[in-house]
Amino acid sequence: MSTKKLTSEEAIALEDQYGAHNYHPLPVVLDRGEGVFVWDLEGNRYYDFLSAYSAVNQGHCHPHILKALQEQAQQLTLTSRAFYNSTLGPYEKFVTDFFDYDKVLPMNTGAEAVETAMKISRRWGYRIKGIPENQARIITCHNNFHGRTISIISASNDGGATKDFGPFTPGIVSVPYNDLAALEAELKHPHTAAFLVEPIQGEAGVFTPDADYIPRVAALCEQYNVLFVADEVQTGIARTGRLLASCEGCNCTGARCESTIAKKPDVLILGKAISGGVLPVSAVLANDAVMQVITPGSHGSTFGGFPLANRVAMAALEVVENENLAENARILGELFRNEIQKLVDTTEVVTLVRGRGLLNAIVINDAEEGDAAWRICLKLRDNGLLAKPTHGNIIRFAPPLVMTREQLLECVAIISNTIIEFEANEWRK
Ligand SMILES: *Cc1c(COP(=O)(O)O)cnc(C)c1O
């Protein structure tokens, strides 16, 4: 059956009837993508301002990444880790060099990588820090998003994500985000193994902490002998204008990590854009002192480190470096926030714009239960730009990082005109 013959209406009806209703998509059916654009079944073109939750930082169907996929697909796709394969070692050398860590543990989805980091943290707690058996604690933050497994939602305070999925995993405590005093109080507990944190809370609505928060988190974790575990599944890989958001305090401006002043995370979690959106790839990076706790049989995944993923991830990171995506995100992000601030200053509909690099959000002057943000996203779609509300009244703007300045300014015009029209025709009516 060719999907080309479907209309958007038919495609939506099929998903509605045969798929579990675990998402509430914006009504648009995407059929093709290239760079910063996607097209629907009827051939309408849109700017993609979600980038699959920042998995497509390199742009849709990037030719360099697809070439690696196609070449490897014709040679060898999956072997499992029961045997060595010819792509894993080169990839591991490449990715550890790229991010400046001793070792990597390859997985597939972001949630799996977070689970992996939690397991590493607990084992490190028992075997290195000397926490008594089954007493290890992991500190997380309010309003975090780390994925959807039972252990991970055990750290969530989002009712929609947790209701009727208990009982939950013990050993997880939670502190307010961007609150160093609350964190320090928990770090002092001798059974604390790790602090798991997003450098910017993406799903929470691009909540950006104080500039010195992450560097001070790193220092506090070191002081109390607790692992600093950074979940950069959404913020990493150039999205925020640096290779990693947790290195914001670092002097390095290059595409690769050349860590200078900042203390790096003890455990770094990557996902999403490490594959350029081509297939699920995730990774946990750490130095030997931590990663040594992982021994044969203690952890794994049939697909983790599979040949296709290894080649694709290397190509995806090469694009980030070769096309200076971090720098582009930094420059365009500043331009975007400056331009949108002009809108904030003149409209009643948007109360603020925030973010870093090309991970930004606007807050709509509406209750969280209101539908103004959803209706604005429908209008943006009609005007050729796709974005999605998060937490009801927040709209995240995260285009592929391969965008040009002209394209970004065109998008700013679409967003501004849409909001101005919305205010004139629909606001408070
Ligand atoms: C998306 C995301 C995850 C989960 O990744 P999946 O691939 O969806 O399992 C974890 N952490 C953060 C910060 C994310 O944004």
Side-chain angles (χ1 to χ4, degrees), residues 109-112 114 145-147 198 203 231 233-234 272:
T109 67
E112 283 178 326
V114 172
F145 182 85
H146 297 294
E198 300 158 85
E203 294 308 302
D231 179 350
V233 171
Q234 186 161 157
K272 294 194 169 120

